[in-house]
Amino acid sequence: MIGLLRPGMRFSRRLTVPGKFATLAVALLLPTMIGLAAAHASRSDPGTSVERERQGLAFVRPLVRLSVQIGQLRDEITVGGHPEAISLSAIAEVDQVYAELGDPLGVEDDWTRVRTVLLAATEQPRTSPAITNYSISALQMAARSTSRLITEVADTSGLTVDGRLDGHYLTVALVTRVPALVEAVSQAQESETARRRGLSPDLESRIAAGILTDRMSRLTQTLDAAWRSTGGDPGGRGAPGLRALSTSVEVFMDALTAHEAGASGTLPTLSVHTLAVTVLDLAESLATDLDRLLRQRVEEAGRTSMVTLALVALAALLAGYVFAAMYRAMTDDVRAVLSDISTVTSGGIHQTEPLPGSDEFARMSRAVVYARDQLTALVGALRYQATHDELTALGNRTLLTEKLEEVLTVTDEAGPGPSWVGMVIIDLDGFNDVNDSFGQGIGDHLLRTVGARFHKGVRRRDVVARLGGDDFAVLLPDISGEAEAREIVSRLQETLQQPVVVGGRRLRLRVNAGIALGRPGVDGALELLRNADVAKYAAKELGKGQVAVFEPAMHARTRERAELSADLVPAVEQGELSLLYQPIVDLMSGQVHGAEALVRWQHPTRGDVSPEVFVPLAEATGLIQPIGSWVLRTAAEQLVAWRREFPDRHPLTLDVNLSAAQLTDDGLVGDILSIIDETGVDPRSLVLEITESALMADVDTALRRLGQLSAIGVRLALDDFGTGYSSLSYLLRLPVTVLKIDKSFVSGIQHRDDHSTALLRSIIGLGSSLGMQTVAEGIEDARQEGLLRDAGCHLGQGFRYSRPVPGDAFAALLRSARPGVPWPRTSTESAPGPVPRRGGQPSGGPDPASPPAAPAPPSRPEVPAPPSRPETPVHDTR
């Protein structure tokens, strides 16, 4: 035995370790592959299922004859009129096949329905034309049902799934072409008969004749292909019947063509009756040839099985020899390796759970299996941690990106499909407030609950992920477009309609969502994520609970905002920010009462940047605190300089705007106290303007902060009164002493008795009754000034007196106006000045940095702003 194995052992020792295992794998796989190939061949070869196919052929034969008999019956009824009784002998043949074979193909119910229709159409005598027409219709339906039943029997038995050409063409000719030809002959006969009787137009007869010609051509082509594929003569045993059929159809078509051309004579009738024998002989010939092919395949399958078994046995012997030789050759080496391992590990391989077996291979297997299990568990844990969010158990950005790349790279050969890929990024409104108010534990519980609701609210194929913080993302593969994406986002919003109960508290959340759509094979994953993020920020700008779909213009705006935000950081240090001052005038005496400080940004490359653009950026980036502090300090220093230069100008106040972000800043009061101490400004001459919308951001904090400011002597003004929430209850709680009426009310007044004037009188009366000083903004002409003065308004500001000007220009205006003399006003009859741009200097007007030539500015009024405008702290556009 050892002598027989020595050649194999020498061969094994010449191989490297990979070569040994490769040789062993080939030796073991060879008989397996041969066996699998033989099994597959036995399953796919028609010879293994020949009995089932022959059963199908046994059903098909009488069904084809039945199809011909139905055609004969239709022809006889159509031409003959009222036969007393007609029977179909093929029904009994099919019943006999069922009696012999049973129902191995599961089509007995279908045959029962066809049989019922046929018996109903044949058992009654035709006593009237109406019943005859009914019989023809029933036979037409029966003919179609019989054709479907033939096809179903062929499919179920496996005849039509034969991949070999010889059986395929014969099956198609027998199952499809012959019944179709019979049906076409019947249709042509019925159409021609109806035409002769004047019951149908010539076109219907020509169409039926054309269909007949096509069916005959298809049958001829299929039979030619069948005879060639079997290696026989193209003019085989069925050729005479085929030629007879073809000749009859040609004669009919020639006669029909001559008749349509106006030739005289009687048009011959093409009858199924005359073709029945030929068709039946042809069908029987086809069935016989098909049965012969099936028998040949049984014999071929038997021979193939014998050869396969011999190959499998030979391959198994070879594999056994290679395995035995290789095992014998490796045994000594394995034992030496195990001896070395035992020496290093003090005689044993440490294993948590001992596995069965005690030989060398079993011991090595235990070591390998233990290392594999540990490594698999470690890799799986690391993979899960790398692709999932630990808090919510949802996917993270890494997993989302991988899934998105998979979806976007799936394309077909014709290019991108019609479907879209949607990416939705969702931000929870007010989540930071929950975290700050109730603690991180409540916030974590809230995130887990929201993640679970989102996961239940999407489709099975969608992917929900948490990107970090309160940002979630949903991947929507294969959607129809924007409408479906919005519908899914709406469902996600509905999942949060019910309050989230966390720690006994009922919390209600709203979400902002950004949607980006992409095409597979066109857009990239990172690009789609970026677009969805841009759309999310656009939705947040629209307000709470909003949804936005990405548009290319959003990206340009985002890039511009980012660039402006970066440029705004050094703007204060580089002196790009400046203050303009607009006078506030006493309407009764005409004296200058004070001024309002308005911040402007002169960008080194972009020029004037509107405060409505850079102030929201400052709030979003946290720069509003240093900018607001600089504005307060600069305004206070300017006020001290004016009071020093004009000591007889008393009172001289300076108004400065505060934003919502400044009101919530804990260091605001301390910062203002430091500015007062360092500049020496009188706090009573410093007026801080706040808007109603700024108050509503955090009412309790704002009221507490305003109370502290009022306590140190700083006066407070409620700006843009009437355009915000205008809750009278806040007027009672707020420590404000000045009520500033928005210019939208002033611009609408026309005369003393109109509604706008009545509304202004009510606002002014309300302020006076509460002991507040009223200031009207946006006064542009003498008419408005007079109506406001008559209504009892105390102070006013607007282009009627001056545009916003730099500090030195404002000082020049103060020098030109003598104490006790009214402020010089613009004449409403003067030439109009340039229309100012919002947030910058007037278009086409003088540079506001230089003093004006005369104290009166141009008289053309500024275009009034809409009643509701975005909050613009520390600036105004008056």
Side-chain angles (χ1 to χ4, degrees):
M1 185 65 180
I2 299 298
L4 293 175
L5 293 177
R6 280 199 181 98
M9 294 171 62
R10 285 195 297 268
F11 174 74
S12 176
R13 288 195 175 96
R14 291 192 182 97
L15 299 174
T16 61
V17 173
K20 288 183 174 66
F21 282 99
T23 303
L24 182 60
V26 171
L28 292 176
L29 289 176
L30 185 60
T32 303
M33 295 302 294
I34 294 176
L36 290 176
H40 177 72
S42 65
R43 287 195 301 269
S44 60
D45 193 272
T48 59
S49 57
V50 65
E51 290 301 326
R52 188 173 180 84
E53 294 183 28
R54 294 186 67 193
Q55 289 171 355
L57 185 59
F59 281 104
V60 167
R61 277 181 167 177
L63 286 173
V64 172
R65 285 195 290 273
L66 178 61
S67 177
V68 177
Q69 291 177 2
I70 292 173
Q72 289 179 281
L73 181 57
R74 288 171 61 183
D75 177 46
E76 186 171 351
I77 293 175
T78 301
V79 177
H82 309 286
E84 291 301 324
I86 300 172
S87 62
L88 300 174
S89 60
I91 296 178
E93 297 179 18
V94 178
D95 290 338
Q96 183 179 357
V97 174
Y98 270 103
E100 294 175 357
L101 300 180
D103 188 23
L105 305 180
V107 294
E108 184 175 3
D109 293 339
D110 295 333
W111 164 242
T112 301
R113 286 193 293 270
V114 174
R115 190 176 186 277
T116 301
V117 174
L118 289 173
L119 292 177
T122 58
E123 290 179 353
Q124 297 180 7
R126 314 297 169 234
T127 59
S128 67
I131 296 178
T132 300
N133 292 335
Y134 167 77
S135 298
I136 292 175
S137 299
L139 289 174
Q140 289 175 348
M141 181 176 66
R144 289 191 292 269
S145 299
T146 303
S147 297
R148 286 196 296 270
L149 182 59
I150 292 172
T151 303
E152 183 179 356
V153 169
D155 291 341
T156 306
S157 62
L159 286 173
T160 55
V161 298
D162 187 0
R164 297 171 62 173
L165 292 178
D166 48 6
H168 171 75
Y169 286 119
L170 288 175
T171 301
V172 170
L174 179 63
V175 172
T176 304
R177 303 298 186 223
V178 171
L181 178 65
V182 173
E183 175 65 19
V185 172
S186 298
Q187 289 291 343
Q189 177 65 48
E190 292 169 0
S191 298
E192 179 59 23
T193 302
R195 185 191 66 79
R196 293 183 182 184
R197 295 173 181 174
L199 300 178
S200 67
D202 294 343
L203 178 61
E204 183 175 341
S205 177
R206 289 197 297 271
I207 292 175
I211 294 175
L212 172 61
T213 303
D214 178 70
R215 298 286 170 80
M216 188 67 220
S217 175
R218 289 174 182 265
L219 175 62
T220 302
Q221 294 174 0
T222 304
L223 288 179
D224 287 343
W227 289 326
R228 282 194 294 269
S229 63
T230 56
D233 184 5
R237 294 187 302 172
L242 180 63
R243 285 195 293 271
L245 285 174
S246 179
T247 301
S248 299
V249 171
E250 289 176 0
V251 170
F252 177 78
M253 290 303 298
D254 292 341
L256 179 62
T257 303
H259 180 73
E260 291 177 351
S264 59
T266 302
L267 182 64
T269 299
L270 179 65
S271 172
V272 179
H273 238 26
T274 62
L275 303 178
V277 176
T278 305
V279 173
L280 289 175
D281 289 343
L282 179 61
E284 187 63 27
S285 174
L286 295 177
T288 303
D289 290 344
L290 186 57
D291 186 62
R292 175 176 51 81
L293 288 176
L294 293 177
R295 291 178 181 277
Q296 290 176 356
R297 289 174 190 173
V298 172
E299 297 174 0
E300 293 174 1
R303 290 192 296 270
T304 303
S305 298
M306 294 299 295
V307 174
T308 302
L309 289 176
L311 291 176
V312 171
L314 182 61
L317 289 175
L318 179 62
Y321 177 82
V322 171
F323 180 80
M326 196 167 293
Y327 175 80
R328 188 70 183 181
M330 291 192 306
T331 300
D332 293 340
D333 296 336
V334 170
R335 289 176 179 172
V337 170
L338 286 175
S339 177
D340 294 339
I341 293 175
S342 299
T343 301
V344 174
T345 60
S346 301
I349 300 176
H350 301 288
Q351 189 78 17
T352 55
E353 295 183 4
L355 300 177
S358 59
D359 59 3
E360 295 85 349
F361 287 106
R363 292 165 62 190
M364 291 183 66
S365 175
R366 285 197 295 270
V368 172
V369 169
Y370 177 73
R372 182 201 64 193
D373 292 343
Q374 294 296 318
L375 183 60
T376 301
L378 178 61
V379 171
L382 292 176
R383 171 65 181 171
Y384 184 85
Q385 294 175 6
T387 56
H388 286 76
D389 176 57
E390 183 178 1
L391 178 63
T392 61
L394 298 173
N396 58 12
R397 185 181 292 272
T398 301
L399 180 64
L400 181 70
T401 305
E402 291 178 358
K403 296 293 185 182
L404 182 57
E405 289 176 347
E406 291 177 7
V407 173
L408 291 176
T409 54
V410 176
T411 58
D412 54 22
E413 296 180 356
S419 62
W420 292 86
V421 175
M423 174 54 61
V424 182
I425 295 184
I426 302 172
D427 174 78
L428 303 182
D429 285 336
F431 174 75
N432 291 332
D433 296 337
V434 174
N435 246 5
D436 297 339
S437 302
F438 305 115
Q440 186 174 357
I442 298 294
D444 291 347
H445 191 175
L446 180 63
L447 289 175
R448 285 193 292 269
T449 304
V450 170
R453 291 190 181 184
F454 283 172
H455 186 70
K456 293 180 180 179
V458 299
R459 305 170 302 177
R460 183 179 297 274
R461 60 181 178 273
D462 298 337
V463 179
V464 181
R466 179 182 175 227
L467 302 182
D470 59 345
D471 284 347
F472 291 83
V474 182
L475 171 60
L476 308 175
D478 191 19
I479 60 175
S480 58
E482 178 182 336
E484 186 175 0
R486 284 184 177 273
E487 180 182 353
I488 295 174
V489 172
S490 178
R491 290 205 303 266
L492 295 179
Q493 290 177 322
E494 290 176 359
T495 61
L496 299 181
Q497 292 297 320
Q498 294 296 327
V500 180
V501 180
V502 182
R505 298 177 175 86
R506 296 170 62 85
L507 304 177
R508 190 182 297 275
L509 294 177
R510 288 188 297 178
V511 299
N512 291 107
I515 302 173
L517 301 177
R519 288 282 195 183
V522 177
D523 299 291
L526 297 180
E527 179 185 3
L528 203 59
L529 281 170
R530 182 201 64 192
N531 293 345
D533 199 47
V534 170
K536 180 197 72 173
Y537 282 107
K540 293 179 69 174
E541 291 179 357
L542 297 175
K544 294 186 177 182
Q546 300 297 317
V547 179
V549 180
F550 174 78
E551 298 175 357
M554 291 181 181
H555 181 59
R557 289 197 300 270
T558 302
R559 183 172 61 250
E560 183 177 3
R561 284 170 56 90
E563 293 174 355
L564 281 176
S565 298
D567 295 341
L568 189 59
V569 175
V572 177
E573 298 177 358
Q574 297 177 2
E576 298 175 9
L577 297 182
S578 61
L579 290 183
L580 300 181
Y581 303 91
Q582 187 174 33
I584 300 175
V585 178
D586 190 319
L587 297 181
M588 300 301 175
S589 64
Q591 294 291 312
V592 177
H593 182 274
E596 181 177 358
L598 307 171
V599 66
R600 298 294 185 262
W601 181 17
Q602 182 69 26
H603 194 279
T605 58
R606 298 174 184 265
D608 291 334
V609 180
S610 171
E612 294 183 351
V613 174
F614 72 81
V615 171
L617 288 179
E619 289 184 325
T621 57
L623 293 174
I624 194 64
Q625 280 81 9
I627 292 178
S629 179
W630 174 85
V631 170
L632 281 170
R633 183 178 300 277
T634 304
E637 292 173 351
Q638 182 65 75
L639 180 60
V640 170
W642 287 340
R643 295 293 292 271
R644 187 182 302 114
E645 183 177 354
F646 308 103
D648 54 347
R649 294 278 186 182
H650 184 77
L652 187 61
T653 62
L654 188 60
D655 291 22
V656 180
N657 291 275
L658 285 184
S659 71
Q662 288 177 283
L663 280 177
T664 58
D665 183 14
D666 294 334
L668 175 64
V669 177
D671 194 15
I672 293 178
L673 284 173
S674 299
I675 292 174
I676 292 174
D677 292 339
E678 295 172 7
T679 60
V681 68
D682 185 358
R684 293 172 298 178
S685 62
L686 191 61
V687 181
L688 299 181
E689 297 184 6
I690 54 175
T691 61
E692 293 171 278
S693 57
L695 289 173
M696 293 305 297
D698 190 345
V699 177
D700 295 333
T701 301
L703 290 175
R704 184 171 62 254
R705 198 80 70 231
L706 294 178
Q708 295 170 347
L709 293 174
S710 179
I712 64 176
V714 176
R715 300 175 64 199
L716 302 173
L718 187 59
D719 194 14
D720 298 340
F721 181 76
T723 62
Y725 297 92
S726 301
S727 175
L728 298 181
S729 62
Y730 289 125
L731 287 180
L732 299 176
R733 299 171 60 187
L734 292 172
V736 297
T737 59
V738 180
L739 197 65
K740 302 196 74 173
I741 304 172
D742 187 71
K743 63 181 180 180
S744 60
F745 295 97
V746 177
S747 62
I749 60 176
Q750 301 295 331
H751 48 78
R752 296 179 184 276
D753 299 326
D754 63 4
H755 294 292
S756 299
T757 306
L759 181 59
L760 270 177
R761 288 180 182 274
S762 300
I763 296 175
I764 294 170
L766 175 64
S768 299
S769 63
L770 294 177
M772 298 181 183
Q773 196 175 48
T774 54
V775 182
E777 301 175 324
I779 300 177
E780 298 171 352
D781 53 41
R783 173 180 47 80
Q784 294 174 348
E785 181 187 42
L787 291 175
L788 288 167
R789 183 171 54 248
D790 294 342
C793 185
H794 305 115
L795 306 173
Q797 68 181 100
F799 290 168
R800 164 78 172 150
Y801 311 105
S802 175
R803 299 180 185 275
V805 294
D808 53 354
F810 189 85
L813 294 176
L814 291 176
R815 294 189 197 99
S816 64
R818 291 173 296 170
V821 179
W823 182 267
R825 297 171 174 83
T826 354
S827 172
T828 56
E829 307 298 328
S830 61
V835 179
R837 294 175 296 173
R838 292 186 60 84
Q841 76 177 63
S843 174
D847 186 350
S850 60
S859 62
R860 183 167 180 176
E862 181 187 22
V863 178
S868 179
R869 64 185 180 185
E871 178 191 340
T872 53
V874 303
H875 85 286
D876 204 336
T877 56
R878 290 179 284 273

